[in-house]
């Protein structure tokens, strides 16, 4: 099956610094990638959708200047949490979908990144 | 826009007993439906999915789910629960929106298994 690799699995950073999370599709071309955030004991909240080569579309309430998303290639998307603060601590999960709109029914998920801001 | 409701925040069943986790969705057309399981601190594992065809879907680990269009439901079942099934279960719906294809998750149901 399709494999999505997310790196790092855990990261601790100091308040005020930025941290980058990578999401790679290993055996398919991901024209669309999604970034989710999961608070403890909560569901996954979609943060943004990125299509390769274009700007990401952010969900309502998500700060685009805080969470920078780059989808520069068909196998890699990155999420950068800028000027991180303790309230940004969370579990971040990416998913990737093959094919352009309507051609693929399923997105494949990475294993998540636990971000702790101290 | 689509939405997913999992009415049970948590459920406790005895090991060996049967299990049913409820899921209702809201979407104007035929949705793509998924069930995922998540162990603490881990990512998501796909249990099963429904796109079309037979409304009873078989998944991994002995799970099955039935799509009922008239009830807008996609309940997950297992005839005999094992202690290792204790985890968080998420129902999800995938559908096209104006912004493209999205997968939206329900709030999740925490399964506890007692000996």
């Amino acid at each position: 099956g399709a494999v999505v690799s997310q790196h790092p699995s855990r990261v601790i950073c100091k308040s005020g610094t930025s941290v980058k999370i990578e999401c790679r599709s290993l055996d398919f071309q991901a024209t669309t990638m999604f970034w989710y955030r999961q608070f403890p004991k909560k569901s996954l909240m979609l943060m943004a959708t990125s299509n390769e080569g274009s700007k990401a579309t952010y969900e309502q309430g998500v700060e685009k200047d805080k969470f920078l998303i780059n989808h520069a290639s068909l196998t890699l998307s990155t999420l950068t949490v800028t000027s991180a603060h303790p309230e940004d601590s969370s579990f971040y999960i990416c998913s990737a979908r093959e094919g352009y709109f309507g051609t693929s029914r399923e997105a494949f998920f990475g294993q998540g990144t636990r971000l702790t801001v101290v | 826009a689509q939405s997913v409701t999992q009415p049970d925040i948590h459920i406790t069943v005895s090991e060996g007993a049967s299990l049913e986790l409820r899921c209702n969705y809201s979407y104007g057309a035929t949705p793509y439906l998924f069930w995922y399981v998540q162990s603490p601190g881990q990512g998501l594992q796909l249990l099963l999915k429904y796109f079309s065809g037979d409304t009873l879907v078989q998944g991994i680990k002995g799970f099955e789910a039935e799509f009922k269009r008239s009830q807008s439901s996609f309940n997950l079942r297992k005839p005999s629960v094992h202690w290792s099934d204790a985890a968080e279960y998420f129902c999800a719906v995938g559908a096209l929106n104006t912004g493209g294809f999205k997968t939206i998750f329900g709030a999740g149901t925490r399964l506890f298994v007692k000996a």
Side-chain angles (χ1 to χ4, degrees):
Chain A
V3 179
V4 175
S5 175
Q6 196 170 333
H7 179 79
S9 57
R10 293 177 179 272
V11 58
I12 300 173
C13 70
K14 291 184 177 180
S15 186
T17 63
S18 296
V19 62
K20 181 183 289 186
I21 303 170
E22 293 187 347
C23 179
R24 294 182 185 272
S25 57
L26 299 186
D27 51 2
F28 67 99
Q29 292 186 327
T31 50
T32 308
M33 286 188 170
F34 308 86
W35 288 94
Y36 293 83
R37 180 174 181 176
Q38 186 179 32
F39 291 98
K41 300 184 179 181
K42 297 292 184 183
S43 186
L44 284 76
M45 302 302 296
L46 180 63
M47 299 173 65
T49 302
S50 70
N51 292 298
E52 183 267 337
S54 60
K55 289 184 178 180
T57 301
Y58 290 80
E59 297 297 303
Q60 192 172 8
V62 178
E63 299 177 62
K64 56 183 67 177
D65 294 330
K66 158 70 78 175
F67 300 100
L68 300 180
I69 292 172
N70 183 281
H71 190 170
S73 79
L74 285 172
T75 59
L76 174 65
S77 176
T78 60
L79 168 68
T80 301
V81 183
T82 63
S83 186
H85 288 91
E87 56 265 31
D88 298 324
S89 298
S90 195
F91 194 58
Y92 293 89
I93 301 178
C94 74
S95 69
R97 180 168 164 266
E98 187 175 22
Y100 287 95
F101 305 116
T103 61
S104 177
R105 306 173 183 179
E106 182 179 355
F108 302 95
F109 288 82
Q111 288 305 300
T113 296
R114 171 73 60 194
L115 170 63
T116 303
V117 184
V118 298
Chain B
Q2 72 269 35
S3 65
V4 182
T5 301
Q6 293 180 248
D8 303 305
I9 296 174
H10 55 80
I11 283 182
T12 301
V13 299
S14 298
E15 191 170 16
S18 63
L19 168 71
E20 182 169 31
L21 301 182
R22 295 183 291 165
C23 173
N24 292 95
Y25 68 90
S26 173
Y27 183 59
T30 299
Y32 304 142
L33 296 163
F34 307 87
W35 274 100
Y36 293 89
V37 61
Q38 185 181 37
S39 297
Q42 302 297 312
L44 300 176
Q45 182 179 24
L46 178 67
L47 289 175
L48 47 77
K49 59 192 176 187
Y50 172 78
F51 293 159
S52 64
D54 192 345
T55 56
L56 185 62
V57 180
Q58 301 298 319
I60 62 171
K61 302 185 178 185
F63 286 94
E64 66 176 28
E66 186 171 12
F67 170 59
K68 292 186 177 181
R69 184 188 301 275
S70 62
Q71 299 177 20
S72 297
S73 70
F74 189 56
N75 294 349
L76 181 71
R77 300 193 294 250
K78 186 169 184 177
S80 177
V81 169
H82 188 262
W83 65 267
S84 61
D85 293 324
E88 187 86 21
Y89 291 80
F90 293 99
C91 180
V93 58
L96 277 174
N97 291 268
T98 52
F101 182 93
K102 296 181 181 179
T103 305
I104 302 300
F105 288 81
T109 298
R110 169 74 62 176
L111 173 64
F112 297 95
V113 180
K114 59 182 181 181

